[in-house]
Amino acid sequence: MFMSKYIDSYQHKGLRKKLVDLLIEKGITDEAVLAAINAIPRHFFLDSAFDKIAYEDRAFPIGEGQTISQPYTVAYQTQLLQIKKMDKVLEIGTGSIYQATVLAEIGARVYTIERQKKLFEAQKNYFFKSKYPNIKFYFGDGFEGLPTFAPFDKVIITAAAPFIPPKLVEQLKVGGMMVIPVDEGDAQRMLRLTKQSDGSMKEESFEQFSFVPMLTGKNG
Ligand code: SAH
């Protein structure tokens, strides 16, 4: 069936360029991150009702009480991760797949986990399988990670973590990095943890953000 939602018009491209300019103004400097955001039609990841506002720097509902992260947040987390081509990246919280697609567009091999069955199943459509064969989808509890595919070069958590999940630390390579928003009451502090050769984690602290909670167990 012809799906008008998957048309990327000049208008969409123009709005996307403006979004990229805004992200530059807000301090994003990583050229690969900016190029990925400029290349990916964010309106494909949203209900068609959001078509006209998909390129505003805002989070939007995606069902099941979840949200697609704000573009600034996606850019910020991706920039902190210093993604290189072929990096093996574990993402917790697939949601709309937008963040996973940004990582894949930069050339990472992405393993993404979602705990909401409905969101996991919604991901089995359209252009992903052909355009982004470097994204692999898993239904499960992100606190457990993916031990079968460990170790990872990078780990990104896209929900508010109540604490740093020990199994995700275990599944990170030495020299690898984890970017994680950790609860601080109403907001979360963005942390970047780098695994040292003795197994300890070097911790750097960045801005505050607001995410939906990281929850234990699977739903559905
Ligand atoms: N990266 C997503 C952001 C989605 S919001 C995007 O680009 O759209 C966070 C997502 O994390 C939600 O879909 C939520 O269901 C999921 N989530 C929360 N706790 C989780 C857990 N323990 N394991 C896996 N996914 C989880």
Side-chain angles (χ1 to χ4, degrees), residues 68-180:
I68 182 173
S69 298
Q70 188 183 339
Y72 176 66
T73 307
V74 171
Y76 195 95
Q77 285 196 281
T78 312
Q79 174 165 292
L80 282 182
L81 274 177
Q82 300 175 0
I83 299 295
K84 292 193 287 292
K85 283 197 169 50
M86 299 308 285
D87 265 357
K88 199 170 156 189
V89 183
L90 175 64
E91 181 196 25
I92 311 304
T94 314
S96 69
I97 336 180
Y98 181 70
Q99 170 72 74
T101 306
V102 170
L103 295 165
E105 178 72 30
I106 298 173
R109 293 173 291 156
V110 183
Y111 296 73
T112 184
I113 312 179
E114 175 55 55
R115 67 176 290 280
Q116 292 274 4
K117 193 66 173 270
K118 285 206 175 122
L119 291 178
F120 171 73
E121 283 170 350
Q123 293 151 14
K124 298 286 167 267
N125 55 14
Y126 64 106
F127 76 123
F128 289 106
K129 283 201 172 126
S130 52
K131 190 155 198 275
Y132 296 103
N134 50 337
I135 306 178
K136 309 275 184 240
F137 297 97
Y138 300 89
F139 174 56
D141 178 359
F143 280 99
E144 301 297 320
L146 286 175
T148 323
F149 299 100
F152 295 94
D153 297 298
K154 310 279 163 68
V155 175
I156 176 172
I157 287 91
T158 67
F163 53 85
I164 296 161
K167 289 182 181 167
L168 301 186
V169 171
E170 269 171 39
Q171 291 171 30
L172 197 58
K173 279 184 194 167
V174 169
M177 290 174 181
M178 179 187 303
V179 169
I180 178 170

Side-chain angles (χ1 to χ4, degrees), residues 12 18 23 28 32 35-36 43 58 65 68 82 87 90 96 125 130 140 150 159 174 184 187 191 193 218:
H12 291 122
K18 283 201 181 127
L23 296 176
I28 303 298
H43 64 285
R58 289 168 53 187
I68 182 173
Q82 300 175 0
D87 265 357
L90 175 64
S96 69
N125 55 14
S130 52
V174 169
E184 270 186 5
L191 301 181
L193 309 170
K218 290 186 274 191

